[in-house]
Amino acid sequence: MANTLTLAIFGAAGKTGKQAVRQAVSRGHTVRAVEKSWPDTDDLPERVDRRTANVIEDDLAPAIDGCDAVISCIGLPLTAGTALSPPPLYTESTKRYLDAMERCGVSRIVVISASFV
């Protein structure tokens, strides 16, 4: 397949992340799926490269290096507490993606979010 990419997909074990991973793999892209911690079963395609990284605490460059683009599907459950006082997860993780991307020479990012937009 022409124009295949290597994609780093953060939040890959969540509902949106799983769909992004499956669609990318079905289109012939190489996927580096990244989660803070992986569940015992994740039902993702076998050929997906699973990585572990905390988007707030870890250096994200090892997960991003060698990729063509980053897709962020991270999220939190919508509760009264998160709605009234949103945590810095989205803003801080995006800053950290961009920092790692700059260091790795990656210039494309997609951030998928339905909350705190």
Side-chain angles (χ1 to χ4, degrees):
M1 174 181 276
N3 298 324
T4 59
L5 302 171
T6 298
L7 305 170
I9 301 180
F10 288 82
K15 289 181 183 180
T16 303
K18 284 181 187 180
Q19 288 302 315
V21 169
R22 288 185 187 124
Q23 288 183 33
V25 168
S26 74
R27 287 168 173 79
H29 300 300
T30 300
V31 174
R32 189 175 296 165
V34 188
E35 267 298 327
K36 181 178 178 181
S37 61
W38 284 95
D40 290 336
T41 58
D42 59 44
D43 71 337
L44 293 177
E46 286 184 28
R47 65 178 192 233
V48 171
D49 177 12
R50 290 160 179 78
R51 305 273 179 109
T52 303
N54 181 320
V55 296
I56 299 297
E57 297 175 3
D58 295 336
D59 179 5
L60 303 180
I64 293 172
D65 192 34
C67 291
D68 298 298
V70 171
I71 300 175
S72 177
C73 301
I74 63 171
L76 293 170
L78 184 58
T79 65
T82 58
L84 293 172
S85 181
L89 177 67
Y90 300 106
T91 55
E92 288 303 313
S93 64
T94 302
K95 288 178 190 176
R96 295 174 57 75
Y97 297 140
L98 294 174
D99 173 63
M101 289 169 62
E102 183 175 10
R103 289 185 284 132
C104 296
V106 177
S107 61
R108 293 184 272 184
I109 184 169
V110 174
V111 178
I112 301 170
S113 176
S115 299
F116 313 116
V117 177

